[in-house]
Amino acid sequence: NAGVMQNPRHLVRRRGQEARLRCSPMKGHSHVYWYRQLPEEGLKFMVYLQKENIIDESGMPKERFSAEFPKEGPSILRIQQVVRGDSAAYFCASSPNYGGVSYEQYFGPGTRLTVT
Amino acid sequence: DAKTTQPNSMESNEEEPVHLPCNHSTISGTDYIHWYRQLPSQGPEYVIHGLTSNVNNRMASLAIAEDRKSSTLILHRATLRDAAVYYCILKGSGGSNYKLTFGKGTLLTVNP
C-alpha cells in the first residue's frame, strides 16, 4: 500500500532554470496539497488541488510558481526561473476526500530543492 | 484559525511515557485538534486527532481537557524513533479548513 510519492527527492538547479516537482498521491486519494518548508522555518501551505482543478492557491507566490493536477498522472509543482530564495523542502500531501476538519492528510517524503 | 501554544522542546528517556502539552484557549466549538509529527529529514506524519473525547490509536493517545482549552498528546513508551518535532494544529469549520497551519511545534528528544 504505497504512500504519497514525490520525486525527485533532491533537485539542484542553477538560478534561472526551471524546477519541476512531482507528487503521486496515495491510491484512491483525489485531493492534493503542497507545502513549503524554508530553512529554519515552519511548513507553509501553498496550494490545494483536486483533479483538473485548483481549489486554493492563496499560499503560492504570485509569480514563477504554478501547480497542476491533471486527470491522469501526478501533480506537478513548477517553479520557473528559480532564485536562491526558492531553496527549500517542498512537501506534498493527499487526502481521500475534501480535507475538512476531521480528515487527516498524508505527506510524502518531500523534494529538497537547492538553487545554486 | 485559533492559535496553539506548545513548549519549544521536551526531553524524555526511552521506554518512559511522554506527555506533550498544547494550549488552545481560543478554540471554538467546532475546531478539531490534530497532531502531526516530523521526524528529521522526513515529511510530516499524522498522529491523531479529536474533538471532545479522548482518543487512542496505535501510535498515541490524545487527552482533551473538559473545557477544550488544552490537550495532551501521550506517547505511552517513548522510543528513539519518536524523536521528532510534534505539532498541535486546530482545524476549524471555516471555508479553508483543509489547510494545516503549522507552528513551531515541540522538539522531543528521547535519551537512550
Side-chain angles (χ1 to χ4, degrees):
Chain A
N1 189 12
V4 177
M5 295 194 292
Q6 291 188 249
N7 64 80
R9 295 290 306 276
H10 298 273
L11 182 61
V12 179
R13 284 286 178 266
R14 291 200 179 109
R15 279 179 298 168
Q17 290 185 319
E18 179 180 286
R20 278 185 182 241
L21 287 61
R22 285 176 290 277
C23 168
S24 296
M26 285 182 71
K27 187 176 180 180
H29 288 194
S30 59
H31 299 249
V32 166
Y33 317 82
W34 286 91
Y35 294 81
R36 178 167 70 171
Q37 188 168 35
L38 292 164
E40 307 304 322
E41 292 190 23
L43 288 126
K44 304 281 188 218
F45 167 83
M46 297 182 75
V47 61
Y48 165 35
L49 309 108
Q50 294 176 26
K51 289 278 188 183
E52 299 183 281
N53 280 308
I54 299 174
I55 307 302
D56 180 354
E57 56 182 348
S58 60
M60 292 262 278
K62 294 284 186 280
E63 298 176 353
R64 302 187 297 106
F65 284 71
S66 63
E68 63 176 7
F69 189 17
K71 188 176 178 182
E72 302 290 338
S75 174
I76 306 286
L77 180 67
R78 183 181 177 208
I79 311 172
Q80 296 179 288
Q81 299 176 315
V82 296
V83 301
R84 288 219 172 99
D86 297 332
S87 295
Y90 292 82
F91 294 97
C92 166
S94 71
S95 67
N97 293 299
Y98 166 68
V101 290
S102 65
Y103 286 101
E104 58 266 31
Q105 294 178 13
Y106 297 87
F107 283 78
T111 293
R112 279 150 184 83
L113 172 66
T114 302
V115 179
T116 62
Chain B
D1 287 331
K3 292 191 181 299
T4 63
T5 305
Q6 298 178 253
N8 290 334
S9 62
M10 289 186 66
E11 208 166 315
S12 173
N13 295 320
E14 203 174 6
E15 298 191 4
E16 290 184 356
V18 182
H19 291 232
L20 295 161
C22 180
N23 287 322
H24 28 78
S25 58
T26 59
I27 191 170
S28 73
T30 53
D31 286 344
Y32 277 74
I33 302 158
H34 286 245
W35 283 82
Y36 284 76
R37 71 179 185 181
Q38 187 174 21
L39 279 66
S41 301
Q42 296 190 29
E45 176 185 27
Y46 165 78
V47 178
I48 200 166
H49 75 272
L51 182 62
T52 56
S53 304
N54 294 345
V55 184
N56 300 296
N57 66 20
R58 63 174 181 82
M59 288 181 70
S61 295
L62 176 60
I64 301 172
E66 197 168 333
D67 63 4
R68 300 208 329 123
K69 293 185 185 300
S70 66
S71 61
T72 302
L73 179 71
I74 302 166
L75 306 179
H76 295 285
R77 289 184 66 199
T79 69
L80 297 178
R81 289 179 297 175
D82 291 321
V85 178
Y86 287 77
Y87 299 99
C88 170
I89 299 169
L90 299 184
K91 287 189 80 181
S93 56
S96 57
N97 57 9
Y98 40 79
K99 292 183 190 178
L100 291 173
T101 302
F102 290 85
K104 295 190 183 302
T106 297
L107 174 63
L108 175 65
T109 301
V110 180
N111 300 314

